[in-house]
Amino acid sequence: EKSPNAYNAIADKADVIMGAVTSDACIAICDLTNEDNKLQITPSGSAADCTKNPNNFRLCFTDPLQGQTMAKLAVNELGYKKVAVIFNNSDPYSSGMKDAFVAQIKELGGEVVAEEGFNANDVDFNSQLTKIKGTDAQCIFVPTYYKEAGLITTQAAAKGMKLPFSGGDGWDGVIEQVQDKAVIEGAIFLSPFLSTNPDEKIQNFVKAYEAAYNATPDQFAADGY
């Protein structure tokens, strides 16, 4: 809702639009920038429709690719055959990654034993976790942003669930969302950037960012840069 208003406020002054940061906000202005013939580049909007028009470009990978990659990791590398999923059914980022993950799991011979959705702004995930606890799932895939990931992992731990978690790039920053870091121990998520990578160019960026903002850059900061 807010994204088109923000775009309309600056459209007459801009030749190039960088954004939006997240998929749903990006998709909300794609047709507007196309109608106005503005070059639009999203650093981190990974849903497929973020680049549906000829003027829309992205820096990052796509949600289908994220879902497929994490499914291959789960089955081929970690050996999981039965998986559960918790996703935001009102968010194209989350549902797009979920759809690709589920399809790839099945293609690889695995089984999705639970596919639990939730709505935007939900903070209680006990119902979804209870259903998953009653299955023989070996892991839980959570294609959400870090806020929901922090709540889900915390609530799972409170239920005594010890299943390993995985997610997409939206998890970047989850460690700041949980009081007890143990609830995300062993979790794996996909990201285009790692601040501890020793590469000289990355470390130069990290040092400059920390000096400017007194914080460690995450993948959103790196993609934007």
Side-chain angles (χ1 to χ4, degrees):
E1 297 171 353
K2 296 178 181 178
S3 184
N5 293 334
Y7 169 73
N8 289 328
I10 62 173
D12 292 341
K13 308 171 186 177
D15 297 316
V16 180
I17 301 295
M18 187 180 80
V21 174
T22 58
S23 292
D24 52 352
C26 182
I27 293 170
I29 64 170
C30 280
D31 288 339
L32 296 177
T33 63
N34 186 45
E35 292 168 6
D36 292 342
N37 198 30
K38 304 278 188 184
L39 172 61
Q40 179 186 353
I41 306 173
T42 174
S44 47
S46 49
D49 279 351
C50 287
T51 53
K52 65 179 182 176
N53 298 317
N55 70 304
N56 307 141
F57 293 83
R58 87 174 86 234
L59 175 78
C60 61
F61 37 53
T62 65
D63 293 335
L65 180 59
Q66 290 198 74
Q68 292 164 5
T69 300
M70 296 308 290
K72 290 175 182 177
L73 175 73
V75 176
N76 294 341
E77 296 187 40
L78 301 177
Y80 301 138
K81 297 301 182 183
K82 297 186 177 183
V83 303
V85 182
I86 299 179
F87 70 102
N88 184 342
N89 55 29
S90 60
D91 180 9
Y93 164 79
S94 185
S95 57
M97 202 188 314
K98 181 271 298 184
D99 289 343
F101 177 86
V102 168
Q104 188 68 58
I105 287 289
K106 293 177 180 178
E107 185 176 321
L108 294 172
E111 180 183 356
V112 180
V113 297
E115 195 172 322
E116 297 296 320
F118 65 88
N119 297 314
N121 303 317
D122 282 357
V123 295
D124 185 345
F125 303 97
N126 282 289
S127 175
Q128 292 90 340
L129 290 166
T130 297
K131 291 180 181 178
I132 292 173
K133 191 174 182 180
T135 71
D136 53 357
Q138 298 170 289
C139 66
I140 306 177
F141 180 61
V142 183
T144 67
Y145 293 111
Y146 50 75
K147 180 180 178 181
E148 294 92 350
L151 291 169
I152 290 169
T153 51
T154 298
Q155 291 170 24
K159 284 183 169 297
M161 299 173 68
K162 297 183 179 180
L163 292 176
F165 282 91
S166 65
D169 64 328
W171 273 58
D172 201 359
V174 68
I175 197 168
E176 305 299 333
Q177 299 293 315
V178 294
Q179 291 185 330
D180 181 4
K181 312 304 182 193
V183 303
I184 54 171
E185 183 66 37
I188 300 174
F189 67 86
L190 185 154
S191 176
F193 175 76
L194 182 65
S195 63
T196 56
N197 187 319
D199 181 273
E200 182 180 1
K201 291 182 178 179
I202 291 178
Q203 286 310 305
N204 287 341
F205 166 67
V206 170
K207 292 174 184 176
Y209 189 94
E210 289 177 339
Y213 303 109
N214 194 32
T216 301
D218 58 14
Q219 57 109 356
F220 293 105
D223 282 352
Y225 176 78

